Every structure is written in C-alpha cells, then in structure tokens.
Amino acid sequence: MNNNHFSRYAPKSSIDIGVFLCRCGGNISDTVDIERLKSSIDAKVVKDFENLCSLKCQKNIRDIILEEDLDRAVIAACSPITHEKTFRNHVAPLNPYLLEMANLREQCSWVHSDSDKATDKAISLTNAAVERVKYARPLDTIVRKTKKSAAVIGGGISGITAALSLAKQGVKVDLIEKKPSVGGNMIKIGKVFSPEKLAEECALCLFNPLINEAVQHDNINIITNAEVKSSERKAGNFNLLVEKKPRQVWVDRCTACGNCAEVCPIDVPNEWNENLMMRKAIYKPFPQSVPDTYTIDEEHCIKCGNCEKVCNMNAINFSMKTEVIPLNVGSVVIATGHKGFDLKKRPEYGYTRYDDVISQMELARIMGVNGPTNGKLQRPSNGEIPRRLVMIQCAGSRDEKPEGKRYCSKVCCMVALKHANFIKHYYPETEIIICYTDMRTPGMYENYFRYGQSNKIKLIRGRPGDVTRKNGNLIVRVEDTLRGEQLEIETDMIILSEAMEASDGTLEVAKLLNVGLTEDLFVKEKHSKIKPVNTDIEGIFVCGTAQGPKDITDSVSQANAAASKVSELMNGGLEIEPLIAEIDHSECKLCGACIDSCKYKAVYMYDERISVDPIACNGCGICVAKCKNNAIEIMGQTDSQIYAMISGMLKDKKDGERRILVFLDYIGYVAADNIGVNRIPYPESVRIIRITSINRLMPKHIIHAFENGADGIFLGEYPDNVVYSNIQEKVHEFKTQLIKNGIDPDRLMYYKVYAPYFRGLAKKFYEFDKQVSKSLDKLEAVLYKASSKDI
C-alpha cells in the first residue's frame, strides 16, 4: 500500500481504540459468532453488550472510555442512519466525530443466514471501522444565525401570502416582481370557487385586500419591474443583485388620471387581457394594479412626448435609468408561478386558425367584468352569444406527443367546470359540452362536479382528434369511448383547457440560484413528503405553481409552509454537521476550478482566498476531484479515511473468497438498510461503504481498491439530486482508468438507487456478483493460458 495515501491526516503513532459490540437481543448474535468476532479485532478494548443503545450501556461505555483513556471508539451494532446520533452521546467523553460505526445488523446478520460467512463479513466491517477511525479528527458542529430578512421572488398569490406571513413574524421582506404590477395569474382569472361553496366568487375581491395589506406593511418592500440578476451566498446569507427597469413615471407623483394614455398614438396588444384587446404604450396594467400608477412600455414607446405634455403632475421622466439594487437576505422564497401551454403546438385544434377557438384563460378574461367585453360572453368572430360551446380538456397535458406535457395539470377539470357553471348561470340557453380524458375532481371538489352535472353540463369521455370548419361552424371530431361512437359535434365556440408549465421566470431563477429542477422543469423539492417546500439549497424555499401545477388553495397553503420554514431557520438558527470541504491554503493556487464546479455555490473567492460557505456546502466532493493541487478535503471523509475504510474491508481476505465493495450515497445506504429490515438476502461478498456522493470518489480510490484485493466495485447514487449530472462522466472516467490499468471494466457497475426500490438493489447485487464471477473466471483462464505457454 502506498503510504502517501495517509500522509495528510496521519494519526499519532499510538491510538487507543475501544470497540463495543452489540448482540442486539439476538438480532446480531443469533447469526454472527460474537466470540470469534471479538478475538479477530485488534484494539485496546473489545467488549460486547446485549443492548448497546440502552441507558445502562451508555454509562458503561463512558466509564470504559474514561478508565482506559481511549482516543477513539467503534460501535459495531445497527445502522448509523438510525442510531449514529444516539451513540455519539454514548461516547461523550470523546469528540462525537471520533466515533465510527459498523453496521452488523441491517447489512450483515439480517441479510445472511450462513453463520460462518456472516461472521467473516462482520469481522471485515468492524476492521474497516477500526482502520477508518484511526484517521478521524475531532470536529465541531457548525452553528449559524441567519439574517432576519428574506427575498420573495414573484408577486402572485403565493408570493404575496409568503411575504405577509413572514412580515407578521417580524421578518423584513423584499418582494420582487418582474412585471409592473403584483398580482400574478390570480388577478386575471375573474372568478374562483371553493369546494364547500357551490358558487363562484370574484377573484380580485378576495386578492385585493391581501395586496393592499402587503403594500401597507412596514416589513414589506415591494420592488416591481425588477428581476434578480445575480446571487452569491456567504455565511448562510444571500447577496442578490436586483435590476429594476425604469417606469419612466414617478410613482409618487402619478395620480393615474389616464390623460397620458388618451394622447398616446401607439396601440399594443394587451397581455393582461390575453391580447384580446389593445392598450397604449403608456398604460396601467389593470384598474386595480399595484402600484396604482402608469408605466411606459420602452419596447414600443416612440418618445413622441405627447404624454409628457398633458401630464399636470410632471410625473413623466424619460431620463430614468435602470437601477441596480443590492440585497442581503437570510433566505429566498421562489414564487415565480407558471405559464400556459403554447396551444399553437397543437394545430389540430385550430387555435389561432379559427377566431372562435380560445383558451380557458382567454375565456376567463372575456367573462371578467374588467375584461375586453366587460364580462359578456361573446364569440370573438362576431360578438354573438354562442348557442353551443365545447371545452376540450388536456390540451397539452397528459400528452405523449412532441413538446406535450406528460403530467396532469391538476386544475384544468375544475377550471372547466367553474367556467361552465358560471356560463350556465348567466346564459342558461347556451349548451356546454366538456370532452374529457378523465374528470379529476378529488375530495370535496366532487360536490362541485355533481353541481355541474345538475346544471345540465354534458360530458363526453374522449379526447378530440381535430377541429375543422364546415358551413361556417366549427366541427369537433371525437370518439365517445364510453359508448364506442364516433361523433362530429357542431359548435359555435371551442375552449381549450391548456396545460400549466413552468414559467420562463421559474427557469431563469432556478438557474441563477442553482436549485434543482424536476424532469418537468418545475423547481424540485428536496423531498416531496417530509420537505415539500425545501429545495436542494439550504435557505431557499419554493411555493405555488413554481413547484408544480396546483390550485389557489394549495398555493396558499404551500406559501404559508415556506414562510414557516424560513421563520424556523431564522429563529432557531442552523446547526450543520461539519462534514464539509476544507481548503488547505498552503497548497491552493487560486485556479478557481472548485468555484466553477460547485453545484451548491458554496465555494467562493474572498479577499484573494478561496473560502467555503459551511451552510451551503453539501460535502459532495466534486471540488476535491476538480482540484489538481490536492488542496481540498472533505472533513469526515478525507482521502485517508476512504483509503483506510477500503483497506479494512479487504483485510484478511481468504484465498478464493470474493469481496465486492459497494459505495452508496445517503439514499442508497437507506435502500440497503431497507433490504435488511425486510430480510431480503444478497451475496456475502457485498461490503457497503457509505459516502456523501459518488462524486467524492476518484480513480485513485478505485485503483487502490482493486490493487488491495477488491474483486468488484459497485456504485449507487440517487439520480434526482443536484450533483447527479456529473455521475455518468465520473463512471466513464473510472472505467477508462481501469482499462489503462489492465482491469476488466465489467468489474465496475453503476446503478441508480431509490430508497423504495430496495428489492431492485438486492437483485442488482446478485447480478453484479455473477458478473464479477464471470470476469474473474475469464481472467483466470487467460492467466492459465499464458502460464501454459511459458511452460
């Protein structure tokens, strides 16, 4: 073995280690020969106990550590996932990071029935822990207080709700909205309904009081016409640069009289009314916009000066410049909302080809009292009330075609029913037909669905194939899958229920803040069940439709949850395990490769030194692999510890015995534990090593393992984390190095690991064991053939 592997954090010449073995009430000792295990461990103290996790044993371990003056401790018992914190308290006289655990229950006695082989494996697992703990260093938990301020990006219902909740808890909030007014999509939809009310209510009437409350709250600073342009994290806080575009109108002077718009010669499609009418180049987004002032559309303004001449308040100023606002905040909430699916991508439905084919959002604006028709239902082509109206569901959702969205957009069925019921109330003579794939109205929404049926809304189960025009009317061709009939429905008007998709702002902010995205391009939660508003980056949270399709109720609930997590972070502070990157400044050449490679933006340059933000650092190890000067280590997972663990796993390997080293990240390790909990067997050759990420490994570790007797290397990583993108490249690099060293690349396997699919992981262990066996047999045959020629 090359001794320089262990040079940086070499232990002192004599380390006294205590090894404490647990029988676990027979869970371990019924399979593992404890006496043989004890006699095989080289340590100052080796003791066994019936139940190490008991309070009595805690006292015994402490007494032994003090009496024997031990420097390190090894607990050979159950999984560190469930009991590491408990046993760190047990070794209290020692620094908690001078403890190492060997998993003899979930990954040995519960998965193997052959006592001799299980005991051999238990010996190697314990030896590995002993070797590794020699290179452990005392570490201190990192505690940080975060600044009591937050940036909420997005001024829709979820952003406003999160900002208000935080403000009421004493947190200073900067609410950043890209458009000239806050409000988001909710202000455009006209009507809302709740599941317990069989009626529709004014959306703006519900939302306006919240907006006004946010405007008047001393702890909320609303910045409109603005975008976040850069983000840097230091010491747990975020430094943001916000670019605020000029309105060319003084907000504190403008009285919103509208004289300027009357003399403006430029007409522009009104995006707030879904381009169904025109507005001027100087305009107020909508009557109740906040701030309640006009703004100039610089893209279309011709600088004629007419507006400036008629403004009695001298509120117009064409010399305004873009303003850059620096913000330093403790947390960030992403509430950037969604956008509608581009229906031009489904030309079979005739959108834009036929005037009377519109989207649900366009229908919402038509039905809105402040919309293009003042709330009157009219056909866009001729202004008449439609006699029949067909709604086509899943326009872009649940769609396997190119550029379609495979997911259900969750709210479309309810939106269609809302508009259908509303139209039936005011236009009872208009016939409404909904062509659906499946009507999805969960929970109490089923009552509203039945209410719609009682209003004589017709339902046809089937996705229309196309829309054509015949004799001046629109024709919807659809198969009624319940009756097995092909139908041609003649109609005056068609409403397409468009899919929800991630907004451009969501994609931009996610890239800027370096948070992960789902395969559908929404902001990814850290864990959908137990951390539903957390992102991959500590201190950044998500809510509303930026996280995925959802209705207003769920958006508000999630916004309050995000605010709660921010408050929890600020009031309780952060307590982080010190298993993070550490820079050796004497070796660092300031090349910046670690800064460029860090997915969490935890590494940064400050005062001509490379520094690591301990709050942001995840200990993944990508920076270590990228550093050509060997100037970075991951505390608790140094090169020395990895080499020692590998060597310990392969120590005292018998002739003819096969040993496979399995490196698993946290999720993979949990999956391996689940195999044991469910008593699913796998080959005794498997030896599992827990690691922060496969990115932490380098070719030198893999080669070291094979040189010291490993027969195969199995790598397992959860594919939905932010560092996964590097893995395929990493595995290719490993295999290339194996080939260069004359090692069959089939002796290395990579597998995507998911905690619930532990049975698949056990199956893969069997498959890889056989694959390695074949490779070794092939190698043996080659060697035999070569030796025969020599003879």
Side-chain angles (χ1 to χ4, degrees):
M1 188 187 304
N2 190 345
N3 289 330
N4 65 11
H5 290 330
F6 300 88
S7 58
R8 177 179 285 187
Y9 297 118
K12 64 182 185 180
S13 56
S14 176
I15 290 183
D16 294 329
I17 299 173
V19 177
F20 304 95
L21 310 175
C22 185
R23 293 177 174 270
C24 197
N27 282 303
I28 295 173
S29 57
D30 285 353
T31 306
V32 175
D33 185 338
I34 297 297
E35 293 306 317
R36 182 156 77 90
L37 173 60
K38 286 172 64 177
S39 64
S40 303
I41 303 303
D42 182 17
K44 181 177 181 180
V45 174
V46 181
K47 298 276 188 181
D48 68 288
F49 299 87
E50 193 62 37
N51 291 104
L52 271 181
C53 57
S54 67
L55 290 175
K56 181 181 179 182
C57 282
Q58 179 177 3
K59 182 180 183 303
N60 289 338
I61 291 171
R62 288 178 177 177
D63 289 345
I64 293 170
I65 290 171
L66 291 170
E67 289 168 5
E68 300 290 342
D69 195 21
L70 299 179
D71 300 306
R72 306 281 192 277
V74 170
I75 300 286
C78 49
S79 172
I81 298 294
T82 56
H83 280 75
E84 189 168 53
K85 287 187 177 180
T86 299
F87 288 125
R88 280 178 179 172
N89 291 329
H90 280 31
V91 299
L94 300 175
N95 182 279
Y97 295 93
L98 299 180
L99 164 73
E100 190 63 41
M101 287 189 68
N103 191 341
L104 303 190
R105 190 178 70 178
E106 283 83 352
Q107 295 179 12
C108 188
S109 64
W110 277 357
V111 291
H112 307 310
S113 55
D114 186 309
S115 181
D116 286 339
K117 291 181 179 180
T119 303
D120 288 340
K121 181 174 177 178
I123 292 169
S124 66
L125 293 177
T126 309
N127 275 329
V130 170
E131 292 302 315
R132 176 174 173 138
V133 82
K134 291 176 182 177
Y135 296 87
R137 294 174 58 196
L139 302 172
D140 294 320
T141 301
I142 300 165
V143 180
R144 288 286 188 277
K145 280 283 185 183
T146 59
K147 190 172 182 179
K148 207 164 185 179
S149 62
V152 176
I153 307 175
I157 181 63
S158 56
I160 293 284
T161 300
L164 272 173
S165 177
L166 286 167
K168 290 175 181 179
Q169 297 177 71
V171 177
K172 293 287 185 182
V173 180
D174 289 291
L175 181 64
I176 304 162
E177 170 54 47
K178 186 176 184 179
K179 294 179 180 177
S181 173
V182 297
N185 285 296
M186 185 174 170
I187 57 170
K188 296 165 66 174
I189 62 176
K191 298 290 181 179
V192 295
F193 69 93
S194 52
E196 69 276 5
K197 291 182 180 179
L198 302 181
E200 297 75 39
E201 301 173 279
C202 172
L204 203 53
C205 298
L206 294 175
F207 195 13
N208 243 9
L210 291 179
I211 295 176
N212 292 334
E213 188 178 356
V215 171
Q216 295 164 11
H217 205 292
D218 291 338
N219 283 338
I220 298 178
N221 174 35
I222 297 177
I223 311 172
T224 55
N225 239 20
E227 295 180 76
V228 179
K229 287 298 183 180
S230 72
S231 170
E232 183 183 47
R233 188 169 192 189
K234 289 182 181 178
N237 295 317
F238 297 88
N239 293 325
L240 307 178
L241 283 182
V242 178
E243 185 180 272
K244 181 176 172 61
K245 295 179 182 177
R247 301 178 76 94
Q248 312 296 13
V249 177
W250 293 109
V251 174
D252 54 349
R253 294 183 186 178
C254 179
T255 60
C257 65
N259 292 338
C260 54
E262 290 178 7
V263 298
C264 179
I266 303 299
D267 289 314
V268 180
N270 187 333
E271 59 274 16
W272 187 71
N273 273 307
E274 294 294 298
N275 300 326
L276 295 172
M277 61 185 296
M278 306 300 281
R279 63 164 172 81
K280 298 295 183 176
I282 185 166
Y283 69 105
K284 191 163 74 163
F286 56 97
Q288 299 83 7
S289 65
V290 173
D292 184 17
T293 183
Y294 276 70
T295 186
I296 290 177
D297 182 348
E298 285 195 293
E299 183 182 349
H300 297 99
C301 177
I302 60 173
K303 304 291 192 298
C304 65
N306 289 352
C307 55
E308 191 174 16
K309 292 173 186 176
V310 299
C311 182
N312 297 323
M313 301 303 295
N314 294 320
I316 296 171
N317 181 2
F318 286 105
S319 64
M320 286 184 178
K321 303 295 183 183
T322 297
E323 183 182 359
V324 177
I325 305 170
L327 300 177
N328 179 254
V329 295
S331 288
V332 176
V333 177
I334 301 173
T336 42
H338 69 279
K339 67 178 181 180
F341 179 75
D342 183 1
L343 293 170
K344 292 192 289 292
K345 294 177 180 178
R346 291 295 168 264
E348 63 269 27
Y349 291 146
Y351 185 75
T352 68
R353 194 163 72 248
Y354 305 127
D355 291 339
D356 292 325
V357 178
I358 64 174
S359 70
Q360 287 286 2
M361 185 58 86
E362 288 169 338
L363 177 62
R365 293 311 313 133
I366 289 173
M367 299 299 294
V369 292
N370 53 3
T373 64
N374 296 317
K376 296 176 182 178
L377 178 63
Q378 297 176 357
R379 294 174 63 182
S381 62
N382 58 20
E384 295 179 359
I385 298 172
R387 293 164 299 167
R388 176 182 287 165
L389 188 152
V390 174
M391 295 184 177
I392 298 177
Q393 300 304 100
C394 299
S397 292
R398 304 179 67 189
D399 190 344
E400 299 288 336
K401 294 177 185 177
E403 298 190 87
K405 306 300 174 183
R406 296 185 178 185
Y407 53 83
C408 170
S409 289
K410 197 171 181 179
V411 302
C412 312
C413 290
M414 300 311 305
V415 169
L417 286 169
K418 175 191 71 174
H419 285 155
N421 281 322
F422 188 63
I423 291 169
K424 271 295 184 182
H425 180 73
Y426 288 98
Y427 303 90
E429 299 304 315
T430 298
E431 182 183 9
I432 299 177
I433 300 172
I434 299 178
C435 297
Y436 67 96
T437 308
D438 294 295
M439 289 302 292
R440 295 185 167 179
T441 56
M444 292 179 67
Y445 290 117
E446 194 74 14
N447 295 334
Y448 194 76
F449 175 42
R450 293 196 182 97
Y451 171 64
Q453 289 176 306
S454 71
N455 278 336
K456 297 182 180 179
I457 296 169
K458 296 182 181 178
L459 299 163
I460 295 176
R461 189 177 186 276
R463 190 193 292 253
D466 65 355
V467 172
T468 59
R469 189 186 288 280
K470 184 177 179 182
N471 298 327
N473 286 321
L474 296 170
I475 304 295
V476 178
R477 292 194 179 100
V478 62
E479 178 186 1
D480 186 334
T481 58
L482 295 179
R483 295 184 179 182
E485 296 176 358
Q486 298 289 338
L487 304 176
E488 287 193 354
I489 306 171
E490 186 176 304
T491 184
D492 300 320
M493 203 168 166
I494 294 172
I495 315 298
L496 303 177
S497 295
E498 69 271 33
M500 276 187 181
E501 61 177 275
S503 68
D504 296 337
T506 296
L507 302 182
E508 292 163 7
V509 167
K511 183 178 181 180
L512 188 72
L513 297 176
N514 206 42
V515 299
L517 295 174
T518 66
E519 62 178 334
D520 300 317
L521 302 181
F522 291 100
V523 175
K524 181 182 172 294
E525 306 150 302
K526 191 165 189 177
H527 192 287
S528 59
K529 293 291 184 288
I530 60 175
K531 293 187 176 180
V533 295
N534 298 63
T535 66
D536 293 322
I537 307 298
E538 193 74 43
I540 300 180
F541 304 89
V542 63
C543 61
T545 52
Q547 183 271 321
K550 59 179 61 66
D551 64 7
I552 294 168
T553 304
D554 286 347
S555 293
V556 169
S557 296
Q558 199 174 43
N560 283 316
S564 175
K565 297 306 290 184
V566 170
S567 182
E568 178 183 304
L569 195 66
M570 291 175 179
N571 291 315
L574 282 169
E575 187 171 311
I576 305 294
E577 283 206 84
L579 309 179
I580 61 171
E582 182 180 86
I583 311 293
D584 182 349
H585 294 287
S586 65
E587 298 292 334
C588 178
K589 306 301 181 187
L590 301 178
C591 69
C594 53
I595 298 175
D596 296 335
S597 66
C598 183
K599 299 289 185 180
Y600 297 95
K601 294 191 175 180
V603 190
Y604 60 93
M605 181 81 73
Y606 181 71
D607 197 21
E608 297 186 1
R609 275 168 75 99
I610 300 288
S611 298
V612 176
D613 182 348
I615 307 302
C617 181
N618 196 259
C620 67
I622 293 178
C623 58
V624 180
K626 295 294 182 181
C627 182
K628 295 180 180 179
N629 300 304
N630 195 31
I632 310 177
E633 278 284 21
I634 302 297
M635 295 299 92
Q637 206 150 90
T638 63
D639 274 345
S640 303
Q641 289 171 301
I642 293 173
Y643 286 127
M645 194 78 169
I646 291 170
S647 301
M649 287 289 189
L650 301 171
K651 187 177 179 181
D652 299 327
K653 181 185 173 188
K654 299 176 183 176
D655 291 338
E657 182 188 2
R658 190 158 55 250
R659 289 193 186 178
I660 294 171
L661 299 189
V662 175
F663 293 91
L664 298 177
D665 71 347
Y666 177 84
I667 296 296
Y669 200 89
V670 170
D673 278 355
N674 286 339
I675 295 173
V677 170
N678 288 275
R679 310 300 200 276
I680 300 168
Y682 55 78
E684 292 89 352
S685 59
V686 168
R687 306 286 195 277
I688 295 172
I689 297 175
R690 183 172 51 142
I691 200 161
T692 49
S693 168
I694 301 305
N695 285 292
R696 174 63 189 94
L697 295 176
M698 290 185 276
K700 62 183 181 180
H701 300 131
I702 303 299
I703 299 302
H704 173 78
F706 280 114
E707 287 178 348
N708 282 269
D711 297 301
I713 303 287
F714 184 104
L715 309 173
E717 180 102 9
Y718 178 59
D720 288 344
N721 59 39
V722 74
V723 296
Y724 175 70
S725 57
N726 288 59
I727 298 298
Q728 297 292 350
E729 178 187 341
K730 176 76 70 174
V731 172
H732 176 73
E733 180 186 8
F734 289 162
K735 293 205 170 191
T736 301
Q737 289 297 321
L738 292 182
I739 293 169
K740 287 181 179 179
N741 284 270
I743 301 170
D744 185 356
D746 284 346
R747 291 169 67 185
L748 183 143
M749 174 182 277
Y750 168 70
Y751 181 65
K752 298 177 183 178
V753 184
Y754 297 87
Y757 304 143
F758 52 87
R759 295 180 189 277
L761 180 60
K763 184 179 178 181
K764 278 294 174 184
F765 287 160
Y766 273 114
E767 289 177 7
F768 186 55
D769 185 68
K770 291 178 181 178
Q771 181 175 310
V772 169
S773 178
K774 288 180 182 179
S775 176
L776 294 176
D777 288 345
K778 184 171 66 176
L779 176 63
E780 189 175 338
V782 170
L783 293 175
Y784 178 76
K785 189 174 181 180
S787 63
S788 298
K789 286 182 179 180
D790 292 339
I791 293 172

